[in-house]
Amino acid sequence: MLSKLIRRKQSFPVVFIQQCMRSSVLNPSRTNDEVRFDSITTAYGYKSKYELYRGWAVFKLCSYTSLVNRLTQLLNVSRTILGQYVFESIMRSTLYGHFVAGTDKSELKPIVERLSQHGVRLILDYSMESDVATDHQVTTVQSNHNIYDENLLKSLKNVQTASELSGPAAITAIKFTAFISPDVLEKLNQVVEQNPSDQQSLFELASKSSLISKHELIETEHLIQRINRIVQEVKQHQGRVFIDAEQSYFQTAIHKLVLELQELYNRDRIIVYNTYQCYRKITLETIRNDLARAKAKGFSIGFKLVRGAYMDQERKRAVQLNTNDPIHPNFAATTQCYHQVFKEVLDNAKTHPNQFHVFVASHNEDTVKFALRTMDEMNVKRNDGLVAFATLFGMCDYLTFPLAAVGYDAYKLAPYGPIDRLLPYLTRRAQENRAIFAKAEKDRQLHYKALRERN
């Protein structure tokens, strides 16, 4: 059914381009033990003195839990009192300036060029998302449709921008909640969860479910068409796309549709990457099922491994609905899951090198070191093209740049766009990572030491 809703386009192989990019790094025979995560020059040499001070100040401010907890109210009050111009100036000097790559291509270009000089590439994310609790500003069916079509055009432009700035194999990221009503997506999620073993497509399941109205089925069809249009654009530009994970009450439906996309598009090479949240209790089982399905049906999977970014919402929702918490009880259990998942994927990637590829998208130094040790144990070299590393723009440069300096594939996932559009992202980034910020002593210290060296 999925293939009937889209138009196929000609694919262009980019394997040789990826190999050429990897061949330009330093000597791949050097051991993983040579990566130094305390090198100030390597991690922060690309930053100006002003950027270092701003980074130190932002991490310091975000370490205060009381401030982070009230961030949404503080931002709203500040904008009202100060006015838009002064508010935006302050944001550029603090949160937005540190965690966001810019507003448009003209601001992105110098950042892409500067990071590429250090072997680090950008994953561009024109931030767009919504949630069932925050989407009340949309009041009509037509306005819904118009917004999602506008988001489609912005996503297509994002793919084109990434290609222009980074060339072939450029990566972009999208969220499904930018292209369909979150209420409909939540219903689709319920339909899939009620039919966990059904091999029918998402659209077929929705068309037979009493939960989905005729109008909602049309919305589902439009979602599938929009997402396919984006993937086709990515394919045309010889790029790749991350489908970001979202809340658990959306994720089962998202996951099912991403697998359908991968089965359709990931034939000659990996175009579509799925995101796996390791704080979810079902992730390891999900990974194993997906690996088996890919091998049985002959398609490829790009894995992006994250811990998870919706912990507060998930726990509160489980309490409110009196349901089982879908995520692991603590950080240690999540870490154990992450490590198990990485070993499982890497073992399969080694035996099926052209079929699987994994991104370690982690800000945890111990997890990155675990990945490096596991690569050594499995005799996977940094230039084998099986593993890449990614951190968010503005976070953990001391991990990303040292990895890139010795030849690993290293990326920064960079949100960009107007300040107003990025405020929900910035608020969630601070709140969901309050524990990271509170304990980010190393990042703050290295920023401070780098500042002192500039004096």
Side-chain angles (χ1 to χ4, degrees):
M1 176 59 68
L2 181 61
S3 60
K4 295 179 182 178
L5 298 175
I6 65 168
R7 293 182 305 149
R8 291 179 177 269
K9 293 190 176 182
Q10 184 64 32
S11 171
F12 296 91
V14 296
V15 173
F16 76 98
I17 296 172
Q18 295 171 328
Q19 291 173 340
C20 289
M21 295 172 74
R22 288 195 295 269
S23 67
S24 65
V25 301
L26 299 181
N27 183 3
S29 64
R30 296 167 65 181
T31 66
N32 294 331
D33 293 337
E34 292 175 337
V35 184
R36 291 187 55 193
F37 295 127
D38 58 356
S39 174
I40 295 173
T41 302
T42 303
Y44 305 105
Y46 78 101
K47 285 191 172 184
S48 67
K49 189 174 179 180
Y50 165 74
E51 289 171 323
L52 286 171
Y53 177 77
R54 181 180 64 192
W56 174 83
V58 166
F59 278 111
K60 186 66 176 177
L61 287 171
C62 288
S63 68
Y64 298 111
T65 303
S66 58
L67 185 150
V68 173
N69 288 342
R70 295 173 176 81
L71 188 57
T72 300
Q73 299 93 311
L74 288 173
L75 292 178
N76 290 334
V77 170
S78 298
R79 181 165 45 184
T80 301
I81 295 175
L82 300 174
Q84 190 68 20
Y85 179 80
V86 175
F87 175 74
E88 289 193 3
S89 297
I90 293 175
M91 290 300 294
R92 283 184 177 274
S93 300
T94 53
L95 286 170
Y96 180 91
H98 184 71
F99 291 116
V100 179
T103 58
D104 52 30
K105 184 170 68 175
S106 64
E107 293 185 6
L108 289 171
K109 184 176 181 180
I111 295 176
V112 170
E113 293 174 346
R114 186 157 48 130
L115 266 60
S116 67
Q117 294 174 359
H118 298 267
V120 177
R121 285 167 278 178
L122 282 190
I123 300 167
L124 294 186
D125 180 6
Y126 191 86
S127 295
M128 299 175 290
E129 61 181 297
S130 57
D131 192 7
V132 289
T134 61
D135 199 36
H136 302 303
Q137 73 273 17
V138 178
T139 57
T140 69
V141 171
Q142 187 58 41
S143 63
N144 260 321
H145 184 77
N146 290 340
I147 286 175
Y148 301 137
D149 281 347
E150 288 174 9
N151 287 346
L152 169 61
L153 295 177
K154 290 171 183 175
S155 291
L156 296 176
K157 181 64 176 176
N158 183 38
V159 173
Q160 296 159 10
T161 297
S163 178
E164 291 171 12
L165 293 177
S166 301
I171 307 177
T172 52
I174 61 171
K175 287 183 171 66
F176 275 20
T177 48
F179 309 104
I180 188 172
S181 163
D183 295 310
V184 176
L185 187 57
E186 185 177 25
K187 284 189 177 182
L188 291 172
N189 200 75
Q190 294 172 16
V191 171
V192 178
E193 288 184 339
Q194 290 172 5
N195 302 273
S197 302
D198 200 307
Q199 296 301 307
Q200 296 180 95
S201 70
L202 177 65
F203 185 83
E204 289 170 332
L205 282 177
S207 67
K208 297 175 181 179
S209 173
S210 60
L211 286 176
I212 306 298
S213 68
K214 183 177 179 180
H215 165 69
E216 290 167 340
L217 186 62
I218 293 173
E219 281 202 61
T220 303
E221 182 174 358
H222 287 163
L223 166 68
I224 295 170
Q225 291 172 339
R226 291 179 184 119
I227 298 299
N228 274 275
R229 180 66 187 89
I230 294 169
V231 177
Q232 289 170 355
E233 189 74 15
V234 170
K235 183 177 181 180
Q236 180 179 339
H237 288 276
Q238 306 175 53
R240 293 172 285 173
V241 60
F242 283 170
I243 310 296
D244 284 342
E246 303 191 53
Q247 292 92 334
S248 62
Y249 43 89
F250 301 141
Q251 188 55 36
T252 307
I254 291 172
H255 185 84
K256 183 175 182 64
L257 182 52
V258 175
L259 279 175
E260 294 174 26
L261 293 168
Q262 290 175 325
E263 188 170 342
L264 180 60
Y265 290 102
N266 288 3
R267 291 293 178 174
D268 299 326
R269 63 181 181 89
I270 298 176
I271 297 175
V272 180
Y273 282 74
N274 208 346
T275 303
Y276 295 82
Q277 301 159 303
C278 294
Y279 70 177
R280 296 193 72 190
K281 296 174 182 176
I282 66 171
T283 297
L284 182 59
E285 180 184 1
T286 301
I287 288 273
R288 288 171 173 164
N289 290 338
D290 291 356
L291 287 165
R293 174 171 171 170
K295 284 183 281 190
K297 297 195 175 185
F299 65 93
S300 301
I301 294 182
F303 296 86
K304 175 186 155 193
L305 307 183
V306 301
R307 274 186 165 76
Y310 301 94
M311 182 176 68
D312 286 357
Q313 288 173 274
E314 299 289 10
R315 294 210 190 283
K316 289 177 182 177
R317 183 179 174 83
V319 171
Q320 291 170 355
L321 299 179
N322 194 28
T323 59
N324 292 329
D325 193 333
I327 65 178
H328 287 296
N330 52 51
F331 186 82
T334 299
T335 298
Q336 181 181 16
C337 177
Y338 198 117
H339 293 181
Q340 287 178 307
V341 163
F342 177 73
K343 291 183 72 173
E344 190 90 18
V345 173
L346 186 58
D347 182 58
N348 280 271
K350 185 179 178 182
T351 55
H352 300 79
N354 297 318
Q355 192 170 7
F356 304 118
H357 180 258
V358 56
F359 263 85
V360 178
S362 175
H363 302 97
N364 184 276
E365 185 175 338
D366 290 336
T367 290
V368 172
K369 288 179 176 178
F370 173 85
L372 298 179
R373 288 196 306 271
T374 304
M375 290 173 68
D376 268 349
E377 292 167 0
M378 294 187 179
N379 195 29
V380 174
K381 295 181 174 58
R382 67 196 70 185
N383 67 333
D384 283 348
L386 303 181
V387 181
F389 296 84
T391 57
L392 287 168
F393 188 82
M395 294 184 68
C396 298
D397 286 351
Y398 66 88
L399 295 177
T400 307
F401 284 83
L403 286 167
V406 296
Y408 289 96
D409 285 337
Y411 293 78
K412 283 288 181 182
L413 197 155
Y416 74 101
I419 289 178
D420 283 347
R421 182 178 286 275
L422 268 295
L423 289 181
Y425 167 85
L426 292 171
T427 301
R428 181 167 57 81
R429 180 53 50 203
Q431 291 176 345
E432 291 293 344
N433 289 282
R434 61 168 61 89
I436 294 176
F437 286 131
K439 298 176 182 177
E441 191 62 31
K442 181 169 183 176
D443 221 330
R444 292 198 299 272
Q445 286 182 353
L446 291 180
H447 270 81
Y448 181 70
K449 289 179 180 178
L451 273 170
R452 290 189 60 182
E453 286 189 358
R454 300 286 178 92
N455 293 331

